[in-house]
Amino acid sequence: MSDKYTQFVSQGFGRELARRLGLPRPVELRRYEAGKPLVPGPVLVLGNGDEGRSQSAEGIAVELLSWGLDVRRNALPKEKLGAIVLMLDQVRRPEDLEVPMLTAARSIRDLAPGGRVVTVSRTADSAEDPAAAAARQGIDGIVRSLAKELRDGATANGILLGRDATPQSPGALGALRFFLSGRSAFVDGQLLTVSSEAGRAPGDPDKPLAGKVAVVTGAARGIGAAIARTLHRDGAVIVAVDVPAAGDHLAEVANEVRGTALQLDITVPDAGERIIHHALERHGRLDILVHNAGITRDKLLANMDDGRWRSVIAVNIASQLRINDAILGSGRLPVAPRIVSVASTSGIAGNRGQSNYAASKGGVIGMVRAAAPLLEARGGAINAVAPGFIETEMTARIPFLTREVARRLNSLQQGGTPADVAEAIAFLASDAASGVSGEVLRVCGQNLVGA
Ligand code: NAD
């Protein structure tokens, strides 16, 4: 589903007019559909050794073949590529980037619409010497620049390996599959760290959440309802949580995904205990918790009142801290769940009229980083997604011109859908993201604000 402007400039007169006037020409993004190929063509795998060869590139090429993909170690003239995977995990000096990048450069124009470039490299802070750190940090700049250059819905993202991870770690392979697939349609110009070798890949990549029980807060509508649908599609049993006032919509969503509804205001002191109790009594386990419920009460700080400030902090962050404490303190959960919290680009870049909201969403990011070791010690994980401009009832209320500008201000020149946010959450909630914890993944089409 695309917005009206995107439909207008996608064909005939509209396309020609946009071309002549130099207007943005967004395209319909390649999104996940069960049964469709993972990538829209062969995958070119390049390494950072001579002629784009390296041991890790050999290993990944073999892995991609085992996924049933068509793999190339050398580009064929004029052949359209579904993706380019750049194994840069062995770069030692900035000069080492030249051969792989210029080899890849020759194939960029052959990328199919909706194609992918994915780099795999090591985190700069795991380098032993400044030259290696410089080379590794340089890859960050490359990914973000290339993402801004690609067209036709193609994206560039990177996987960063921490000291204890390798290209073959379950989390690294899971992240590679996510970035290659249509599930990452609105994730662009982002780098995701895999810090450990922990975990194992899900058995069935199309049902990565089979057998899991997932609690989703704010599930009655908007992004929360999309999260419930996507986690259900991926095999999870859903506990849909929302305020009693949203009871009818909540029941509709819960019925649609054949899960259960829990009417609960997450700001009540015992919200955590009630969530744990419901999940265990009704479903016998709790594997995933998505903190999605959130509100906005916008006002310039100069006009802010205590009601607006207090309610946003209470719903968007204080409740999450309290629920997480209940999870960590509960003797009833043998293993801590994988938690995914919804932040916002406003919490990264700030936004006029949103000092209270940005405090809460920046708070989510701080919480996720600090809580990660606590959850990992109990076999769980916690990560956040930070959506940018998403087409929801909330953004539909923005005045037309402001909205039109806001939704074009990213490399994909369009707003994302609730399903795009839900796909990133489903990935982070799954074993495919093993070894990924304390991370913030932006789902913003590489929003130019706070990029
Ligand atoms: P929405 O208003 O459509 O839905 C939010 C849901 O949360 C509602 O069903 C509401 O009843 C529920 N909720 C609110 N307070 C609650 C409480 N105390 N207890 C239980 N449930 C409660 O919002 P949305 O656009 O779908 O946003 C979902 C999340 O994504 C929010 O955290 C929001 O801040 C974040 N987000 C949205 C956008 C966007 O563009 N829409 C961008 C960035 C981040």
Side-chain angles (χ1 to χ4, degrees), residues 400-426:
F400 174 75
L401 265 182
T402 318
R403 183 170 78 233
E404 194 45 33
V405 170
R407 64 154 65 108
R408 305 289 158 220
L409 274 184
N410 63 65
S411 297
L412 298 171
Q413 303 176 324
Q414 58 193 288
T417 65
D420 293 332
V421 181
E423 293 284 10
I425 290 173

mmCIF file with all atom_site columns, all heavy atoms in Angstrom, residues 400-426:
data_model
loop_
_atom_site.group_PDB
_atom_site.id
_atom_site.type_symbol
_atom_site.label_atom_id
_atom_site.label_alt_id
_atom_site.label_comp_id
_atom_site.label_asym_id
_atom_site.label_entity_id
_atom_site.label_seq_id
_atom_site.pdbx_PDB_ins_code
_atom_site.Cartn_x
_atom_site.Cartn_y
_atom_site.Cartn_z
_atom_site.occupancy
_atom_site.B_iso_or_equiv
_atom_site.pdbx_formal_charge
_atom_site.auth_seq_id
_atom_site.auth_comp_id
_atom_site.auth_asym_id
_atom_site.auth_atom_id
_atom_site.pdbx_PDB_model_num
ATOM 1   N N   . PHE A 1 400 ? -1.687 18.902  6.186  1.00 0.00 ? 400 PHE A N   1
ATOM 2   C CA  . PHE A 1 400 ? -1.286 18.315  4.914  1.00 0.00 ? 400 PHE A CA  1
ATOM 3   C C   . PHE A 1 400 ? 0.161  18.626  4.499  1.00 0.00 ? 400 PHE A C   1
ATOM 4   O O   . PHE A 1 400 ? 0.943  17.724  4.226  1.00 0.00 ? 400 PHE A O   1
ATOM 5   C CB  . PHE A 1 400 ? -2.253 18.745  3.801  1.00 0.00 ? 400 PHE A CB  1
ATOM 6   C CG  . PHE A 1 400 ? -1.809 18.292  2.433  1.00 0.00 ? 400 PHE A CG  1
ATOM 7   C CD1 . PHE A 1 400 ? -1.944 16.969  2.053  1.00 0.00 ? 400 PHE A CD1 1
ATOM 8   C CD2 . PHE A 1 400 ? -1.217 19.184  1.548  1.00 0.00 ? 400 PHE A CD2 1
ATOM 9   C CE1 . PHE A 1 400 ? -1.512 16.533  0.805  1.00 0.00 ? 400 PHE A CE1 1
ATOM 10  C CE2 . PHE A 1 400 ? -0.773 18.759  0.296  1.00 0.00 ? 400 PHE A CE2 1
ATOM 11  C CZ  . PHE A 1 400 ? -0.932 17.439  -0.071 1.00 0.00 ? 400 PHE A CZ  1
ATOM 12  N N   . LEU A 1 401 ? 0.505  19.924  4.462  1.00 0.00 ? 401 LEU A N   1
ATOM 13  C CA  . LEU A 1 401 ? 1.832  20.268  3.928  1.00 0.00 ? 401 LEU A CA  1
ATOM 14  C C   . LEU A 1 401 ? 2.961  19.780  4.843  1.00 0.00 ? 401 LEU A C   1
ATOM 15  O O   . LEU A 1 401 ? 3.954  19.231  4.362  1.00 0.00 ? 401 LEU A O   1
ATOM 16  C CB  . LEU A 1 401 ? 1.939  21.782  3.721  1.00 0.00 ? 401 LEU A CB  1
ATOM 17  C CG  . LEU A 1 401 ? 1.616  22.236  2.292  1.00 0.00 ? 401 LEU A CG  1
ATOM 18  C CD1 . LEU A 1 401 ? 1.795  23.742  2.167  1.00 0.00 ? 401 LEU A CD1 1
ATOM 19  C CD2 . LEU A 1 401 ? 2.470  21.516  1.243  1.00 0.00 ? 401 LEU A CD2 1
ATOM 20  N N   . THR A 1 402 ? 2.782  19.959  6.142  1.00 0.00 ? 402 THR A N   1
ATOM 21  C CA  . THR A 1 402 ? 3.797  19.477  7.094  1.00 0.00 ? 402 THR A CA  1
ATOM 22  C C   . THR A 1 402 ? 3.958  17.967  6.943  1.00 0.00 ? 402 THR A C   1
ATOM 23  O O   . THR A 1 402 ? 5.071  17.429  6.935  1.00 0.00 ? 402 THR A O   1
ATOM 24  C CB  . THR A 1 402 ? 3.335  19.775  8.553  1.00 0.00 ? 402 THR A CB  1
ATOM 25  O OG1 . THR A 1 402 ? 2.783  21.072  8.598  1.00 0.00 ? 402 THR A OG1 1
ATOM 26  C CG2 . THR A 1 402 ? 4.463  19.651  9.529  1.00 0.00 ? 402 THR A CG2 1
ATOM 27  N N   . ARG A 1 403 ? 2.832  17.284  6.788  1.00 0.00 ? 403 ARG A N   1
ATOM 28  C CA  . ARG A 1 403 ? 2.854  15.825  6.651  1.00 0.00 ? 403 ARG A CA  1
ATOM 29  C C   . ARG A 1 403 ? 3.580  15.406  5.366  1.00 0.00 ? 403 ARG A C   1
ATOM 30  O O   . ARG A 1 403 ? 4.411  14.508  5.362  1.00 0.00 ? 403 ARG A O   1
ATOM 31  C CB  . ARG A 1 403 ? 1.415  15.298  6.646  1.00 0.00 ? 403 ARG A CB  1
ATOM 32  C CG  . ARG A 1 403 ? 1.314  13.792  6.582  1.00 0.00 ? 403 ARG A CG  1
ATOM 33  C CD  . ARG A 1 403 ? -0.084 13.307  6.812  1.00 0.00 ? 403 ARG A CD  1
ATOM 34  N NE  . ARG A 1 403 ? -0.916 13.462  5.632  1.00 0.00 ? 403 ARG A NE  1
ATOM 35  C CZ  . ARG A 1 403 ? -2.086 14.076  5.598  1.00 0.00 ? 403 ARG A CZ  1
ATOM 36  N NH1 . ARG A 1 403 ? -2.601 14.608  6.695  1.00 0.00 ? 403 ARG A NH1 1
ATOM 37  N NH2 . ARG A 1 403 ? -2.775 14.181  4.482  1.00 0.00 ? 403 ARG A NH2 1
ATOM 38  N N   . GLU A 1 404 ? 3.252  16.119  4.284  1.00 0.00 ? 404 GLU A N   1
ATOM 39  C CA  . GLU A 1 404 ? 3.833  15.781  2.987  1.00 0.00 ? 404 GLU A CA  1
ATOM 40  C C   . GLU A 1 404 ? 5.359  15.950  3.021  1.00 0.00 ? 404 GLU A C   1
ATOM 41  O O   . GLU A 1 404 ? 6.101  15.120  2.489  1.00 0.00 ? 404 GLU A O   1
ATOM 42  C CB  . GLU A 1 404 ? 3.193  16.655  1.893  1.00 0.00 ? 404 GLU A CB  1
ATOM 43  C CG  . GLU A 1 404 ? 3.433  16.213  0.473  1.00 0.00 ? 404 GLU A CG  1
ATOM 44  C CD  . GLU A 1 404 ? 3.252  14.719  0.224  1.00 0.00 ? 404 GLU A CD  1
ATOM 45  O OE1 . GLU A 1 404 ? 2.399  14.049  0.855  1.00 0.00 ? 404 GLU A OE1 1
ATOM 46  O OE2 . GLU A 1 404 ? 4.006  14.191  -0.604 1.00 0.00 ? 404 GLU A OE2 1
ATOM 47  N N   . VAL A 1 405 ? 5.825  17.033  3.671  1.00 0.00 ? 405 VAL A N   1
ATOM 48  C CA  . VAL A 1 405 ? 7.280  17.246  3.774  1.00 0.00 ? 405 VAL A CA  1
ATOM 49  C C   . VAL A 1 405 ? 7.880  16.167  4.687  1.00 0.00 ? 405 VAL A C   1
ATOM 50  O O   . VAL A 1 405 ? 8.876  15.532  4.330  1.00 0.00 ? 405 VAL A O   1
ATOM 51  C CB  . VAL A 1 405 ? 7.575  18.670  4.325  1.00 0.00 ? 405 VAL A CB  1
ATOM 52  C CG1 . VAL A 1 405 ? 9.055  18.810  4.669  1.00 0.00 ? 405 VAL A CG1 1
ATOM 53  C CG2 . VAL A 1 405 ? 7.164  19.724  3.299  1.00 0.00 ? 405 VAL A CG2 1
ATOM 54  N N   . ALA A 1 406 ? 7.242  15.928  5.843  1.00 0.00 ? 406 ALA A N   1
ATOM 55  C CA  . ALA A 1 406 ? 7.803  14.981  6.824  1.00 0.00 ? 406 ALA A CA  1
ATOM 56  C C   . ALA A 1 406 ? 7.958  13.583  6.228  1.00 0.00 ? 406 ALA A C   1
ATOM 57  O O   . ALA A 1 406 ? 8.962  12.913  6.454  1.00 0.00 ? 406 ALA A O   1
ATOM 58  C CB  . ALA A 1 406 ? 6.907  14.922  8.060  1.00 0.00 ? 406 ALA A CB  1
ATOM 59  N N   . ARG A 1 407 ? 6.996  13.152  5.427  1.00 0.00 ? 407 ARG A N   1
ATOM 60  C CA  . ARG A 1 407 ? 7.070  11.777  4.918  1.00 0.00 ? 407 ARG A CA  1
ATOM 61  C C   . ARG A 1 407 ? 8.066  11.618  3.777  1.00 0.00 ? 407 ARG A C   1
ATOM 62  O O   . ARG A 1 407 ? 8.478  10.508  3.473  1.00 0.00 ? 407 ARG A O   1
ATOM 63  C CB  . ARG A 1 407 ? 5.691  11.246  4.523  1.00 0.00 ? 407 ARG A CB  1
ATOM 64  C CG  . ARG A 1 407 ? 4.997  11.924  3.392  1.00 0.00 ? 407 ARG A CG  1
ATOM 65  C CD  . ARG A 1 407 ? 4.014  10.996  2.676  1.00 0.00 ? 407 ARG A CD  1
ATOM 66  N NE  . ARG A 1 407 ? 2.882  10.543  3.440  1.00 0.00 ? 407 ARG A NE  1
ATOM 67  C CZ  . ARG A 1 407 ? 1.620  10.954  3.267  1.00 0.00 ? 407 ARG A CZ  1
ATOM 68  N NH1 . ARG A 1 407 ? 1.333  11.901  2.399  1.00 0.00 ? 407 ARG A NH1 1
ATOM 69  N NH2 . ARG A 1 407 ? 0.651  10.425  3.945  1.00 0.00 ? 407 ARG A NH2 1
ATOM 70  N N   . ARG A 1 408 ? 8.495  12.743  3.163  1.00 0.00 ? 408 ARG A N   1
ATOM 71  C CA  . ARG A 1 408 ? 9.509  12.626  2.085  1.00 0.00 ? 408 ARG A CA  1
ATOM 72  C C   . ARG A 1 408 ? 10.932 12.753  2.602  1.00 0.00 ? 408 ARG A C   1
ATOM 73  O O   . ARG A 1 408 ? 11.871 12.564  1.845  1.00 0.00 ? 408 ARG A O   1
ATOM 74  C CB  . ARG A 1 408 ? 9.292  13.708  1.016  1.00 0.00 ? 408 ARG A CB  1
ATOM 75  C CG  . ARG A 1 408 ? 7.925  13.758  0.397  1.00 0.00 ? 408 ARG A CG  1
ATOM 76  C CD  . ARG A 1 408 ? 7.608  12.602  -0.521 1.00 0.00 ? 408 ARG A CD  1
ATOM 77  N NE  . ARG A 1 408 ? 6.158  12.489  -0.624 1.00 0.00 ? 408 ARG A NE  1
ATOM 78  C CZ  . ARG A 1 408 ? 5.482  11.358  -0.638 1.00 0.00 ? 408 ARG A CZ  1
ATOM 79  N NH1 . ARG A 1 408 ? 6.097  10.205  -0.612 1.00 0.00 ? 408 ARG A NH1 1
ATOM 80  N NH2 . ARG A 1 408 ? 4.174  11.353  -0.700 1.00 0.00 ? 408 ARG A NH2 1
ATOM 81  N N   . LEU A 1 409 ? 11.090 13.166  3.901  1.00 0.00 ? 409 LEU A N   1
ATOM 82  C CA  . LEU A 1 409 ? 12.425 13.501  4.397  1.00 0.00 ? 409 LEU A CA  1
ATOM 83  C C   . LEU A 1 409 ? 13.246 12.275  4.777  1.00 0.00 ? 409 LEU A C   1
ATOM 84  O O   . LEU A 1 409 ? 13.853 12.222  5.832  1.00 0.00 ? 409 LEU A O   1
ATOM 85  C CB  . LEU A 1 409 ? 12.321 14.418  5.618  1.00 0.00 ? 409 LEU A CB  1
ATOM 86  C CG  . LEU A 1 409 ? 12.213 15.923  5.346  1.00 0.00 ? 409 LEU A CG  1
ATOM 87  C CD1 . LEU A 1 409 ? 12.209 16.670  6.678  1.00 0.00 ? 409 LEU A CD1 1
ATOM 88  C CD2 . LEU A 1 409 ? 13.344 16.422  4.473  1.00 0.00 ? 409 LEU A CD2 1
ATOM 89  N N   . ASN A 1 410 ? 13.216 11.259  3.954  1.00 0.00 ? 410 ASN A N   1
ATOM 90  C CA  . ASN A 1 410 ? 14.067 10.100  4.205  1.00 0.00 ? 410 ASN A CA  1
ATOM 91  C C   . ASN A 1 410 ? 14.506 9.523   2.863  1.00 0.00 ? 410 ASN A C   1
ATOM 92  O O   . ASN A 1 410 ? 13.975 9.891   1.816  1.00 0.00 ? 410 ASN A O   1
ATOM 93  C CB  . ASN A 1 410 ? 13.328 9.066   5.069  1.00 0.00 ? 410 ASN A CB  1
ATOM 94  C CG  . ASN A 1 410 ? 12.097 8.503   4.381  1.00 0.00 ? 410 ASN A CG  1
ATOM 95  O OD1 . ASN A 1 410 ? 12.198 7.823   3.362  1.00 0.00 ? 410 ASN A OD1 1
ATOM 96  N ND2 . ASN A 1 410 ? 10.919 8.790   4.927  1.00 0.00 ? 410 ASN A ND2 1
ATOM 97  N N   . SER A 1 411 ? 15.488 8.645   2.927  1.00 0.00 ? 411 SER A N   1
ATOM 98  C CA  . SER A 1 411 ? 16.096 8.164   1.679  1.00 0.00 ? 411 SER A CA  1
ATOM 99  C C   . SER A 1 411 ? 15.115 7.422   0.793  1.00 0.00 ? 411 SER A C   1
ATOM 100 O O   . SER A 1 411 ? 15.325 7.331   -0.414 1.00 0.00 ? 411 SER A O   1
ATOM 101 C CB  . SER A 1 411 ? 17.282 7.250   1.989  1.00 0.00 ? 411 SER A CB  1
ATOM 102 O OG  . SER A 1 411 ? 18.274 7.977   2.660  1.00 0.00 ? 411 SER A OG  1
ATOM 103 N N   . LEU A 1 412 ? 14.040 6.868   1.356  1.00 0.00 ? 412 LEU A N   1
ATOM 104 C CA  . LEU A 1 412 ? 13.062 6.137   0.546  1.00 0.00 ? 412 LEU A CA  1
ATOM 105 C C   . LEU A 1 412 ? 11.896 7.032   0.134  1.00 0.00 ? 412 LEU A C   1
ATOM 106 O O   . LEU A 1 412 ? 10.971 6.593   -0.554 1.00 0.00 ? 412 LEU A O   1
ATOM 107 C CB  . LEU A 1 412 ? 12.574 4.891   1.297  1.00 0.00 ? 412 LEU A CB  1
ATOM 108 C CG  . LEU A 1 412 ? 13.695 3.879   1.600  1.00 0.00 ? 412 LEU A CG  1
ATOM 109 C CD1 . LEU A 1 412 ? 13.208 2.781   2.533  1.00 0.00 ? 412 LEU A CD1 1
ATOM 110 C CD2 . LEU A 1 412 ? 14.238 3.267   0.314  1.00 0.00 ? 412 LEU A CD2 1
ATOM 111 N N   . GLN A 1 413 ? 11.924 8.294   0.590  1.00 0.00 ? 413 GLN A N   1
ATOM 112 C CA  . GLN A 1 413 ? 10.986 9.347   0.163  1.00 0.00 ? 413 GLN A CA  1
ATOM 113 C C   . GLN A 1 413 ? 9.519  8.999   0.401  1.00 0.00 ? 413 GLN A C   1
ATOM 114 O O   . GLN A 1 413 ? 8.643  9.386   -0.380 1.00 0.00 ? 413 GLN A O   1
ATOM 115 C CB  . GLN A 1 413 ? 11.214 9.683   -1.320 1.00 0.00 ? 413 GLN A CB  1
ATOM 116 C CG  . GLN A 1 413 ? 12.646 10.121  -1.602 1.00 0.00 ? 413 GLN A CG  1
ATOM 117 C CD  . GLN A 1 413 ? 12.914 10.374  -3.062 1.00 0.00 ? 413 GLN A CD  1
ATOM 118 O OE1 . GLN A 1 413 ? 12.388 9.685   -3.930 1.00 0.00 ? 413 GLN A OE1 1
ATOM 119 N NE2 . GLN A 1 413 ? 13.716 11.377  -3.355 1.00 0.00 ? 413 GLN A NE2 1
ATOM 120 N N   . GLN A 1 414 ? 9.250  8.257   1.473  1.00 0.00 ? 414 GLN A N   1
ATOM 121 C CA  . GLN A 1 414 ? 7.865  7.894   1.795  1.00 0.00 ? 414 GLN A CA  1
ATOM 122 C C   . GLN A 1 414 ? 7.759  7.529   3.279  1.00 0.00 ? 414 GLN A C   1
ATOM 123 O O   . GLN A 1 414 ? 8.770  7.305   3.939  1.00 0.00 ? 414 GLN A O   1
ATOM 124 C CB  . GLN A 1 414 ? 7.413  6.707   0.953  1.00 0.00 ? 414 GLN A CB  1
ATOM 125 C CG  . GLN A 1 414 ? 8.267  5.469   1.116  1.00 0.00 ? 414 GLN A CG  1
ATOM 126 C CD  . GLN A 1 414 ? 7.975  4.424   0.048  1.00 0.00 ? 414 GLN A CD  1
ATOM 127 O OE1 . GLN A 1 414 ? 6.940  3.789   0.064  1.00 0.00 ? 414 GLN A OE1 1
ATOM 128 N NE2 . GLN A 1 414 ? 8.905  4.250   -0.876 1.00 0.00 ? 414 GLN A NE2 1
ATOM 129 N N   . GLY A 1 415 ? 6.524  7.487   3.784  1.00 0.00 ? 415 GLY A N   1
ATOM 130 C CA  . GLY A 1 415 ? 6.323  7.032   5.151  1.00 0.00 ? 415 GLY A CA  1
ATOM 131 C C   . GLY A 1 415 ? 6.372  5.516   5.188  1.00 0.00 ? 415 GLY A C   1
ATOM 132 O O   . GLY A 1 415 ? 6.115  4.850   4.187  1.00 0.00 ? 415 GLY A O   1
ATOM 133 N N   . GLY A 1 416 ? 6.703  4.982   6.355  1.00 0.00 ? 416 GLY A N   1
ATOM 134 C CA  . GLY A 1 416 ? 6.642  3.530   6.524  1.00 0.00 ? 416 GLY A CA  1
ATOM 135 C C   . GLY A 1 416 ? 5.238  3.121   6.929  1.00 0.00 ? 416 GLY A C   1
ATOM 136 O O   . GLY A 1 416 ? 4.383  3.963   7.201  1.00 0.00 ? 416 GLY A O   1
ATOM 137 N N   . THR A 1 417 ? 4.982  1.829   6.964  1.00 0.00 ? 417 THR A N   1
ATOM 138 C CA  . THR A 1 417 ? 3.673  1.322   7.401  1.00 0.00 ? 417 THR A CA  1
ATOM 139 C C   . THR A 1 417 ? 3.837  0.697   8.795  1.00 0.00 ? 417 THR A C   1
ATOM 140 O O   . THR A 1 417 ? 4.950  0.319   9.182  1.00 0.00 ? 417 THR A O   1
ATOM 141 C CB  . THR A 1 417 ? 3.152  0.238   6.443  1.00 0.00 ? 417 THR A CB  1
ATOM 142 O OG1 . THR A 1 417 ? 4.038  -0.890  6.527  1.00 0.00 ? 417 THR A OG1 1
ATOM 143 C CG2 . THR A 1 417 ? 3.102  0.731   5.005  1.00 0.00 ? 417 THR A CG2 1
ATOM 144 N N   . PRO A 1 418 ? 2.718  0.575   9.536  1.00 0.00 ? 418 PRO A N   1
ATOM 145 C CA  . PRO A 1 418 ? 2.805  -0.126  10.828 1.00 0.00 ? 418 PRO A CA  1
ATOM 146 C C   . PRO A 1 418 ? 3.430  -1.513  10.665 1.00 0.00 ? 418 PRO A C   1
ATOM 147 O O   . PRO A 1 418 ? 4.185  -1.966  11.522 1.00 0.00 ? 418 PRO A O   1
ATOM 148 C CB  . PRO A 1 418 ? 1.337  -0.211  11.266 1.00 0.00 ? 418 PRO A CB  1
ATOM 149 C CG  . PRO A 1 418 ? 0.710  1.011   10.671 1.00 0.00 ? 418 PRO A CG  1
ATOM 150 C CD  . PRO A 1 418 ? 1.372  1.155   9.315  1.00 0.00 ? 418 PRO A CD  1
ATOM 151 N N   . ALA A 1 419 ? 3.146  -2.177  9.533  1.00 0.00 ? 419 ALA A N   1
ATOM 152 C CA  . ALA A 1 419 ? 3.709  -3.520  9.312  1.00 0.00 ? 419 ALA A CA  1
ATOM 153 C C   . ALA A 1 419 ? 5.237  -3.470  9.220  1.00 0.00 ? 419 ALA A C   1
ATOM 154 O O   . ALA A 1 419 ? 5.912  -4.412  9.646  1.00 0.00 ? 419 ALA A O   1
ATOM 155 C CB  . ALA A 1 419 ? 3.118  -4.128  8.035  1.00 0.00 ? 419 ALA A CB  1
ATOM 156 N N   . ASP A 1 420 ? 5.790  -2.375  8.694  1.00 0.00 ? 420 ASP A N   1
ATOM 157 C CA  . ASP A 1 420 ? 7.257  -2.273  8.611  1.00 0.00 ? 420 ASP A CA  1
ATOM 158 C C   . ASP A 1 420 ? 7.882  -2.273  10.007 1.00 0.00 ? 420 ASP A C   1
ATOM 159 O O   . ASP A 1 420 ? 8.929  -2.888  10.241 1.00 0.00 ? 420 ASP A O   1
ATOM 160 C CB  . ASP A 1 420 ? 7.670  -0.985  7.888  1.00 0.00 ? 420 ASP A CB  1
ATOM 161 C CG  . ASP A 1 420 ? 7.272  -0.983  6.421  1.00 0.00 ? 420 ASP A CG  1
ATOM 162 O OD1 . ASP A 1 420 ? 7.189  -2.074  5.826  1.00 0.00 ? 420 ASP A OD1 1
ATOM 163 O OD2 . ASP A 1 420 ? 7.051  0.119   5.874  1.00 0.00 ? 420 ASP A OD2 1
ATOM 164 N N   . VAL A 1 421 ? 7.238  -1.543  10.937 1.00 0.00 ? 421 VAL A N   1
ATOM 165 C CA  . VAL A 1 421 ? 7.732  -1.513  12.320 1.00 0.00 ? 421 VAL A CA  1
ATOM 166 C C   . VAL A 1 421 ? 7.577  -2.913  12.927 1.00 0.00 ? 421 VAL A C   1
ATOM 167 O O   . VAL A 1 421 ? 8.480  -3.430  13.592 1.00 0.00 ? 421 VAL A O   1
ATOM 168 C CB  . VAL A 1 421 ? 6.949  -0.476  13.161 1.00 0.00 ? 421 VAL A CB  1
ATOM 169 C CG1 . VAL A 1 421 ? 7.477  -0.437  14.585 1.00 0.00 ? 421 VAL A CG1 1
ATOM 170 C CG2 . VAL A 1 421 ? 7.029  0.908   12.514 1.00 0.00 ? 421 VAL A CG2 1
ATOM 171 N N   . ALA A 1 422 ? 6.425  -3.526  12.650 1.00 0.00 ? 422 ALA A N   1
ATOM 172 C CA  . ALA A 1 422 ? 6.137  -4.849  13.204 1.00 0.00 ? 422 ALA A CA  1
ATOM 173 C C   . ALA A 1 422 ? 7.151  -5.890  12.718 1.00 0.00 ? 422 ALA A C   1
ATOM 174 O O   . ALA A 1 422 ? 7.552  -6.778  13.486 1.00 0.00 ? 422 ALA A O   1
ATOM 175 C CB  . ALA A 1 422 ? 4.718  -5.272  12.813 1.00 0.00 ? 422 ALA A CB  1
ATOM 176 N N   . GLU A 1 423 ? 7.583  -5.799  11.475 1.00 0.00 ? 423 GLU A N   1
ATOM 177 C CA  . GLU A 1 423 ? 8.564  -6.765  10.941 1.00 0.00 ? 423 GLU A CA  1
ATOM 178 C C   . GLU A 1 423 ? 9.879  -6.680  11.716 1.00 0.00 ? 423 GLU A C   1
ATOM 179 O O   . GLU A 1 423 ? 10.484 -7.706  12.041 1.00 0.00 ? 423 GLU A O   1
ATOM 180 C CB  . GLU A 1 423 ? 8.843  -6.491  9.459  1.00 0.00 ? 423 GLU A CB  1
ATOM 181 C CG  . GLU A 1 423 ? 7.674  -6.732  8.518  1.00 0.00 ? 423 GLU A CG  1
ATOM 182 C CD  . GLU A 1 423 ? 7.400  -8.208  8.236  1.00 0.00 ? 423 GLU A CD  1
ATOM 183 O OE1 . GLU A 1 423 ? 7.989  -9.082  8.899  1.00 0.00 ? 423 GLU A OE1 1
ATOM 184 O OE2 . GLU A 1 423 ? 6.569  -8.477  7.341  1.00 0.00 ? 423 GLU A OE2 1
ATOM 185 N N   . ALA A 1 424 ? 10.334 -5.452  11.995 1.00 0.00 ? 424 ALA A N   1
ATOM 186 C CA  . ALA A 1 424 ? 11.601 -5.285  12.730 1.00 0.00 ? 424 ALA A CA  1
ATOM 187 C C   . ALA A 1 424 ? 11.452 -5.836  14.142 1.00 0.00 ? 424 ALA A C   1
ATOM 188 O O   . ALA A 1 424 ? 12.379 -6.457  14.683 1.00 0.00 ? 424 ALA A O   1
ATOM 189 C CB  . ALA A 1 424 ? 12.005 -3.816  12.752 1.00 0.00 ? 424 ALA A CB  1
ATOM 190 N N   . ILE A 1 425 ? 10.273 -5.608  14.736 1.00 0.00 ? 425 ILE A N   1
ATOM 191 C CA  . ILE A 1 425 ? 10.036 -6.118  16.087 1.00 0.00 ? 425 ILE A CA  1
ATOM 192 C C   . ILE A 1 425 ? 10.002 -7.649  16.075 1.00 0.00 ? 425 ILE A C   1
ATOM 193 O O   . ILE A 1 425 ? 10.590 -8.305  16.939 1.00 0.00 ? 425 ILE A O   1
ATOM 194 C CB  . ILE A 1 425 ? 8.732  -5.521  16.654 1.00 0.00 ? 425 ILE A CB  1
ATOM 195 C CG1 . ILE A 1 425 ? 8.964  -4.033  16.933 1.00 0.00 ? 425 ILE A CG1 1
ATOM 196 C CG2 . ILE A 1 425 ? 8.274  -6.265  17.911 1.00 0.00 ? 425 ILE A CG2 1
ATOM 197 C CD1 . ILE A 1 425 ? 7.740  -3.260  17.329 1.00 0.00 ? 425 ILE A CD1 1
ATOM 198 N N   . ALA A 1 426 ? 9.346  -8.219  15.072 1.00 0.00 ? 426 ALA A N   1
ATOM 199 C CA  . ALA A 1 426 ? 9.271  -9.681  14.979 1.00 0.00 ? 426 ALA A CA  1
ATOM 200 C C   . ALA A 1 426 ? 10.675 -10.277 14.861 1.00 0.00 ? 426 ALA A C   1
ATOM 201 O O   . ALA A 1 426 ? 10.978 -11.307 15.468 1.00 0.00 ? 426 ALA A O   1
ATOM 202 C CB  . ALA A 1 426 ? 8.409  -10.087 13.783 1.00 0.00 ? 426 ALA A CB  1
#
